[in-house]
Amino acid sequence: MARDKKIIIGNWKMNLGVHEASLFVHKLEKKVKAHRSVEIVLAPTTLALQTLSLQVNYRQFKLAAQNFYWRDHGAFTGEVSATQLRGVVQYGLVGHSERRHVFHETDKDTRAKVQAAIRNHIRPVLCVGETASERAIGETNDIIHDQLIGGLANITSEELPEIVIAYEPVWAIGTGKNASAADVKQAVKAIRTQLKHLYGAKAAQEVQVLYGGSVTNDSAADYLALDDVDGLLVGGASLDAEAFAGIVEKAFISSKESK
Ligand code: PGA
């Protein structure tokens, strides 16, 4: 997807059951305006994906899996594979800090999931970002470097534009302490520089890079104004229809379509 399109992803995490999710989508359908230049992606509980896939108008909303297992099928009790999600979702989150820190997923898991998503025609959203203590000792760029290398190994430059990268500093997620636009600018620059080393300038410039971490309707425009930022991964504020609709409008305003 060309970089003139902004992506706004609402990650509902472990909130809203199937019925509630469906009602919430009805609300969003009325409040959130569809724009050609904004890809709006909803990531509900896995349980609601099937229902919502029948409910949503794909011209307005796309769907994302919050998580999936990297094997395609087999004896993996309790898991859902990218193969099973194929055709139901268009995106899949990979390496979210809650997966890395609460469920101890490693770069090796992340890499396998990125590949599973690509194999199943699902766009992986690879999340990378440092913790507060890593930031305090100046390791932000090293962490980004390691997580990109770890997550993207075996991905070719032809596959790279299918992948979305989200810079999600762990200390900013769900804390209300959002990163400053200057911090995001610096980190996204580090991401693109790293991608350039790995894949060359052209591929690095084609990748869509998002910011996530305590984004609100008030702070969204500051990030979207950054040339190198192509959208937002929104947690808490995506559960507020008014705020989410506001964030989508800011993405539209920042897009070329509105100019
Ligand atoms: P938050 O979550 O917006 O609630 O900080 C962001 C995320 O988890 O991606």
Side-chain angles (χ1 to χ4, degrees):
M1 184 191 295
R3 277 192 58 209
D4 49 11
K5 200 152 180 164
K6 305 281 174 185
I7 303 180
I8 302 295
I9 305 177
N11 176 12
W12 300 349
K13 309 194 180 184
M14 204 171 68
N15 297 295
L16 308 183
V18 179
H19 186 59
E20 291 163 316
S22 176
L23 289 178
F24 190 58
V25 167
H26 275 305
K27 205 163 162 187
L28 290 177
E29 278 164 355
K30 291 194 202 100
K31 288 214 188 297
V32 177
K33 260 218 217 119
H35 299 287
R36 253 181 302 126
S37 58
V38 187
E39 176 102 324
I40 310 167
V41 184
L42 306 176
T45 164
T46 306
L47 213 53
L49 284 170
Q50 177 71 19
T51 306
L52 297 191
S53 75
L54 301 173
Q55 179 180 344
V56 297
N57 175 347
Y58 281 113
R59 269 181 300 205
Q60 186 175 21
F61 299 119
K62 302 284 194 292
L63 295 174
Q66 293 178 19
N67 184 37
F68 53 89
Y69 190 52
W70 58 273
R71 298 271 202 172
D72 290 340
H73 21 242
F76 303 103
T77 302
E79 293 297 322
V80 174
S81 70
T83 308
Q84 292 170 317
L85 289 162
R86 186 177 178 154
V88 177
V89 300
Q90 294 71 45
Y91 290 80
L93 304 187
V94 178
H96 188 279
S97 81
E98 285 145 24
R99 299 301 317 171
R100 292 182 193 265
H101 296 282
V102 184
F103 299 99
H104 309 293
E105 285 188 10
T106 62
D107 281 331
K108 199 163 155 240
D109 299 318
T110 301
R111 174 185 322 159
K113 289 183 180 196
V114 167
Q115 285 166 21
I118 294 281
R119 191 163 71 235
N120 287 287
H121 304 282
I122 292 169
R123 292 191 81 191
V125 181
L126 174 63
C127 305
V128 299
E130 80 289 359
T131 62
S133 54
E134 288 161 347
R135 185 176 193 82
I137 54 171
E139 282 187 348
T140 301
N141 287 1
D142 298 328
I143 297 295
I144 288 174
H145 171 272
D146 291 354
Q147 292 181 345
L148 284 177
I149 299 250
L152 296 175
N154 306 331
I155 292 298
T156 64
S157 52
E158 287 73 39
E159 289 167 332
L160 189 70
E162 273 312 299
I163 297 169
V164 180
I165 309 283
Y167 171 56
E168 292 230 309
V170 179
W171 49 270
I173 297 176
T175 58
K177 285 190 227 146
N178 55 311
S180 69
D183 288 339
V184 174
K185 189 174 176 185
Q186 196 280 329
V188 173
K189 189 164 168 238
I191 290 172
R192 289 204 191 274
T193 305
Q194 178 68 25
L195 293 175
K196 189 171 154 195
H197 286 148
L198 294 170
Y199 295 99
K202 184 172 175 285
Q205 261 323 101
E206 281 172 3
V207 176
Q208 287 165 301
V209 182
L210 318 182
Y211 166 69
S214 295
V215 173
T216 62
N217 192 7
D218 291 333
S219 65
D222 291 347
Y223 306 117
L224 292 163
L226 299 171
D227 275 349
D228 264 351
V229 172
D230 303 298
L232 299 166
L233 177 44
V234 186
S238 71
L239 290 165
D240 174 337
E242 211 68 63
F244 192 65
I247 293 170
V248 168
E249 277 316 287
K250 294 203 165 104
F252 169 66
I253 290 164
S254 75
S255 72
K256 290 212 173 74
E257 191 194 346
S258 74
K259 300 200 166 117

